[in-house]
Amino acid sequence: MNKKTIYILAIESSCDDTSVAVLANDVVLSNVVANQEIHSKYGGVVPELASRAHQQNIVPVVQQALVQANIEKKDLSAIAFTRGPGLMGSLLVGTSFAKSMALALNIPLISVNHMQAHILAHFIKDEAQKKPEFPFICLTISGGHTQLIRVNDYFSMEILGETIDDAVGEAFDKSAKILGLPYPGGPFVDKNAQLGDPTAFEFPKPKTKNELDFSFSGLKTSILYFIRKKEKENPNFIKENLLDICASIQQTIIDILLIKLKKAVKKTGITSIAIAGGVSANSGIRKTLIDAEKKYQWQTYIPKFEYTTDNAAMIGITAYYKYLNANFETTAVSAKARMTVLE
Ligand code: KG4
Ligand code: ZN
């Protein structure tokens, strides 16, 4: 049977990246991401500026995604957009653009939960990637979230544990800020860590009431006090030890994540483990998960690099599965800044 191909144009604008992708079923034809450089000089995302930049970027990025996919608007089957969670001003740009486009083309509108999309990015068709089988555990680690999810099916998930304060991405970014590295600091810590000694310094690993929850705010504080103390003894401490400090911070974070994953495996009996979200781009975390296949006999799933940080391809793949269920929205749908992975 030759089923009709479904072409979906997906828009992601939840934070500071404007991204548009076109998918043919589960295959990505284009995935354009416009990063907003403006925030780096403020050391964090400025919501007002993010919203304005999305407004400037959205038309050219949509155009570029269509051209790269070699698709005309009239061939699209549906328009998808990130409904939440995210910054309201940013979400509104993608939401209203998607609504107008779906209305103008008279095709279905599909809303997507950004957190589900990070997880479902694993189902993008790619010859080099294996897809996880249900049920699996997904460790979602991003700038805004840190969660252990039991994924029973595409849209059936359970939260096993989550952070009670900072997200892993924040732990990376705040540590980087203390070290004077640019924003967002995660990739810079990663780059330096690759050349440093992960055993050079030791930082405490927090305990949480629920053994599958996370806590990262204490780590940031202990790094701050450690640096202050060392700088009193030697004002050039950071400069002289940057690689080792980054490697030690990264190793502490990896150790914390691994401890929780082991506990989740023990509790659920599930040994299929996926990682998702911006921090899953981290080379140390990726290597640890690859090594875990042999070391712990887990089956591990690591997303392709371009589908780790925010992108519209993951919105498109999630929308594809919603399309198959005819899960469409009316134009009455509104953006939602706060949303759990279960909505
Ligand atoms: O998923 P994402 O793009 O946006 C959110 O939904 O939050 O994640 C962004 C986060 C930032 O905190 C950034 O520093 C972190 O992902 N990140 C990394 C790396 N690449 C991005 N953290 C550590 N190592 C990396 N290589
Ligand atoms: Zn994200």
Side-chain angles (χ1 to χ4, degrees):
M1 198 173 66
N2 193 3
K3 275 202 266 172
K4 195 174 147 256
T5 306
I6 297 155
Y7 292 101
I8 295 179
L9 181 138
I11 300 170
E12 152 65 30
S13 71
S14 65
C15 190
D16 60 339
D17 296 317
T18 317
S19 180
V20 178
V22 177
L23 278 78
N25 296 337
D26 54 354
V27 176
V28 176
L29 301 181
S30 64
N31 181 36
V32 181
V33 185
N35 301 117
Q36 300 180 0
E37 294 302 331
I38 180 102
H39 306 289
S40 62
K41 74 173 183 214
Y42 296 98
V45 177
V46 184
E48 300 286 303
L49 298 179
S51 170
R52 207 176 309 159
H54 282 306
Q55 286 171 24
Q56 285 164 354
N57 290 341
I58 191 118
V59 173
V61 175
V62 165
Q63 198 51 34
Q64 216 179 321
L66 286 166
V67 170
Q68 276 186 23
N70 201 14
I71 288 280
E72 287 186 44
K73 278 190 209 134
K74 67 171 176 46
D75 298 322
L76 294 171
S77 322
I79 305 293
F81 67 97
T82 304
R83 183 178 182 212
L87 301 170
M88 193 39 118
S90 291
L91 290 166
L92 280 173
V93 179
T95 306
S96 43
F97 198 91
K99 279 188 199 178
S100 329
M101 209 169 163
L103 206 60
L105 296 170
N106 195 22
I107 53 177
L109 178 67
I110 302 172
S111 75
V112 170
N113 178 321
H114 182 93
M115 299 311 298
Q116 290 178 356
H118 269 301
I119 299 171
L120 297 183
H122 281 280
F123 294 93
I124 291 170
K125 191 167 182 178
D126 192 306
E127 298 309 328
Q129 296 282 115
K130 47 182 182 148
K131 291 182 187 178
E133 277 177 27
F134 300 116
F136 65 92
I137 291 170
C138 187
L139 174 65
T140 308
I141 38 182
S142 73
H145 296 83
T146 299
Q147 288 184 322
L148 269 170
I149 310 282
R150 182 192 160 112
V151 187
N152 298 317
D153 203 347
Y154 298 108
F155 300 105
S156 163
M157 304 180 186
E158 286 165 57
I159 300 172
L160 301 173
E162 60 194 334
T163 185
I164 56 169
D165 41 56
D166 288 353
V168 188
E170 282 178 282
F172 270 106
D173 296 342
K174 288 177 179 176
S175 307
K177 199 170 179 180
I178 296 170
L179 300 174
L181 296 170
Y183 177 88
F188 294 96
V189 174
D190 186 358
K191 213 168 148 208
N192 288 321
Q194 290 177 42
L195 304 168
D197 173 6
T199 62
F201 307 106
E202 217 175 308
F203 299 105
K205 298 183 189 78
K207 287 225 171 354
T208 50
K209 219 161 109 195
N210 167 1
E211 59 167 5
L212 296 185
D213 278 347
F214 300 84
S215 169
F216 286 102
S217 66
L219 177 63
K220 169 197 68 194
T221 314
S222 70
I223 292 167
L224 183 65
Y225 288 152
F226 168 79
I227 294 291
R228 274 192 193 155
K229 186 169 155 260
K230 291 287 186 185
E231 276 191 323
K232 261 190 202 145
E233 297 160 13
N234 171 11
N236 288 326
F237 177 74
I238 293 181
K239 213 167 136 200
E240 288 168 12
N241 297 280
L242 186 63
L243 304 181
D244 289 348
I245 302 169
C246 287
S248 302
I249 293 172
Q250 183 165 304
Q251 192 57 50
T252 307
I253 293 174
I254 293 173
D255 289 347
I256 295 170
L257 297 177
L258 196 60
I259 290 169
K260 300 293 176 176
L261 276 175
K262 282 186 192 163
K263 288 188 173 169
V265 167
K266 199 168 166 205
K267 195 163 180 178
T268 61
I270 298 171
T271 53
S272 285
I273 312 289
I275 50 170
V279 184
S280 66
N282 184 271
S283 63
I285 295 174
R286 294 170 85 87
K287 184 175 182 304
T288 305
L289 265 285
I290 292 168
D291 293 347
E293 292 225 321
K294 264 213 175 108
K295 206 164 167 191
Y296 309 118
Q297 281 81 50
W298 295 351
Q299 300 77 50
T300 59
Y301 303 89
I302 294 142
K304 236 180 150 177
F305 197 75
E306 61 256 48
Y307 304 138
T308 55
T309 46
D310 291 348
N311 65 88
M314 69 184 195
I315 305 303
I317 189 73
T318 309
Y320 170 66
Y321 288 106
K322 284 191 138 183
Y323 189 102
L324 296 181
N325 294 334
N327 192 345
F328 304 136
E329 300 288 351
T330 68
T331 47
V333 64
S334 53
K336 210 170 165 201
R338 291 182 165 272
M339 233 176 142
T340 80
V341 70
L342 310 177
E343 287 173 62

